[in-house]
Amino acid sequence: TVAAHPELLDRELPSLDTRVDMTADAVPKLAQCAAAKAIAEWGRPAADITHLVFSTYSACQAPSADLRLAALLGLRPTVSRTMLSLHGCYGGGRALSLAKELAENNRGARVLVACSEMTLVCFGAPDGGNIVGHALFGDGAGAVVVGAGPFLDGERRPIFEMVSATQTTIPRTEHALGMRVSGGGIDFHLAIQVPTLVGQNVEQCLVDAFRGAIVDDDDHDGGAAPPPPSPCSGNGNGRWNDLFWAVHPGGRPILDKIDKVLMLEAEKLAASRHVLREYGNLSGATIVFVLDELRRGRSPLPEWGALLAFGPGITIEAMVLRCPR
C-alpha cells in the first residue's frame, strides 16, 4: 500500500483523498467485527437494535460510516443513527453517555455503540517528532449494546450499569490537545502539559459524577441497591480505592498522574495499563477494551466503579458504574 501511495509518507504531498478512500470501507468493516460479537453476546437479533451511535475520527464523508455499518449488520431501515466525529479519545465515553440517555428516554430502546479507529488517516513517515505518536496509537474497534429494560427474552443480563455521567471542559485548554484535517491527513497536537491539566481537574469531575449518582436513603427499600460510596472531599477520604476503575489509557504519564492524584492502589488501573501495553491507544475505542478487560478479570469487581476518558477541549468524560448483583 505504501509503495503504491508514496504520498502517505510525505506530509508535503496531498494525500487526504487517498486516506478517505481507503478508510471509507475499512472503518465500518472493522466496526462490524466488534459489533457482531457484541450482538451475539447480547442474545437478540440485530434487527432488535433501535439506535446506533458510531464514534470515529478516522472517516470523513457522507453518507457516513454509521450508515455503512447499519447495512453490514442488517439493522432495520428505521434504526435511529447518530454519528460522533473527531471527538478523539473521549469519543467512547461520549458515545456511552449518549447511549445511556437514549435508552433511558426511549422505552424498550436497545442502543448499539460502536467505536472504530484507523491510524491510516494520520500516518506518515517518522520524522523525529512523531515517533512516539506512531508507537502509542493503534487501530481497533469496540462495541457494546445498551438498554434500560424491561428485559427481553434471551437477552443477556447487564454487565455494567451506567448510573451517572458528566462531561467537563477545562477552560482555556483548547490549545493543549486537538486535531486538524489538512491536505496531508489529520494532524494531532498534544501539549506536554496534558497529564498535569488532567490531574488538576480529574477529582472534581469525579466528585460531580458521584454527586449525581447519590440517592437519598429514603428512596431505598430492602431490595434496592445501596447508594454509591460518597468520596466527595479531599482525595475521596481514601474511598477512591473502594471502586473499580475504567480509565482511558491516553499514555503512561496520564495514568501515572491519576494514580498519584487519587492515591490509588497499584492494581487499580491494571486493566487500563494492560490495554495500553497490549494494544496501544485506540482513541475512542480504547475504553471499550478496558471495560472488556475488567469483565474478564479473575477477581470479582467491587460493586461500584468509575469511568474516565479524556480528549480535545480538554474534555473529561466521567461516569459512575455499577456491577449489578
Side-chain angles (χ1 to χ4, degrees):
T1 298
V2 173
H5 298 282
E7 68 272 20
L8 296 177
L9 294 176
D10 189 344
R11 301 293 287 188
E12 299 300 319
L13 296 177
S15 61
L16 183 60
D17 287 349
T18 299
R19 297 171 193 269
V20 169
D21 289 345
M22 295 175 71
T23 57
D25 285 330
V27 168
K29 285 182 178 179
L30 185 61
Q32 179 192 14
C33 295
K37 292 178 181 179
I39 291 171
E41 286 199 42
W42 169 47
R44 297 284 297 186
D48 286 350
I49 295 292
T50 60
H51 297 71
L52 170 62
V53 180
F54 195 129
S55 176
T56 185
Y57 73 81
S58 308
C60 45
Q61 66 177 40
S64 50
D66 58 331
L67 180 59
R68 175 68 169 142
L69 176 61
L72 289 170
L73 294 172
L75 303 185
R76 291 182 296 179
T78 55
V79 69
S80 179
R81 297 177 287 107
T82 300
M83 188 74 188
L84 303 180
S85 180
L86 294 177
H87 286 62
C89 294
Y90 78 91
R94 179 89 306 253
L96 290 171
S97 294
L98 178 58
K100 175 182 184 296
E101 294 172 6
L102 290 169
E104 290 174 344
N105 288 283
N106 294 272
R107 181 173 174 81
R110 292 299 181 266
V111 187
L112 174 63
V113 173
C115 306
S116 182
E117 306 292 4
M118 299 191 71
T119 52
L120 177 63
V121 295
C122 56
F123 173 79
D127 60 9
N130 61 2
I131 294 177
V132 173
H134 284 328
L136 177 63
F137 287 92
D139 301 344
V144 299
V145 177
V146 176
F151 292 112
L152 306 174
D153 290 341
E155 189 172 38
R156 178 172 180 167
R157 295 289 167 162
I159 301 170
F160 297 108
E161 177 186 352
M162 296 184 287
V163 180
S164 174
T166 63
Q167 182 189 79
T168 302
T169 303
I170 304 174
R172 299 178 297 279
T173 60
E174 296 90 343
H175 65 283
L177 178 60
M179 297 178 285
R180 185 177 66 88
V181 180
S182 67
I186 293 181
D187 296 321
F188 286 89
H189 172 66
L190 176 64
I192 196 172
Q193 298 89 356
V194 168
T196 298
L197 291 168
V198 170
Q200 290 171 344
N201 292 272
V202 67
E203 187 164 32
Q204 186 58 52
C205 293
L206 288 164
V207 168
D208 292 342
F210 272 87
R211 187 174 289 123
I214 294 171
V215 180
D216 292 337
D217 291 340
D218 291 341
D219 292 338
H220 291 282
D221 57 35
S230 179
C232 291
S233 64
N235 293 312
N237 288 327
R239 300 196 66 184
W240 294 129
N241 283 300
D242 294 345
L243 311 173
F244 66 86
W245 290 87
V247 178
H248 169 72
R252 181 176 173 180
I254 290 180
L255 295 179
D256 290 346
K257 179 63 70 173
I258 291 172
D259 258 340
K260 181 178 180 180
V261 168
L262 302 180
M263 296 193 299
L264 298 179
E265 296 167 359
E267 77 280 1
K268 287 298 178 178
L269 298 187
S272 298
R273 294 187 186 277
H274 173 82
V275 169
L276 182 63
R277 182 171 59 251
E278 296 296 320
Y279 306 104
N281 182 343
L282 310 173
S283 192
T286 324
I287 198 64
V288 181
F289 279 64
V290 176
L291 290 170
D292 188 55
E293 182 66 20
L294 283 169
R295 71 159 178 149
R296 295 179 184 277
R298 296 179 180 178
S299 301
L301 295 174
E303 181 174 7
W304 294 94
L307 179 151
L308 291 168
F310 325 97
I314 293 172
T315 303
I316 299 178
E317 298 279 347
M319 184 180 293
V320 178
L321 300 177
R322 176 177 172 265
C323 288
R325 300 308 197 206

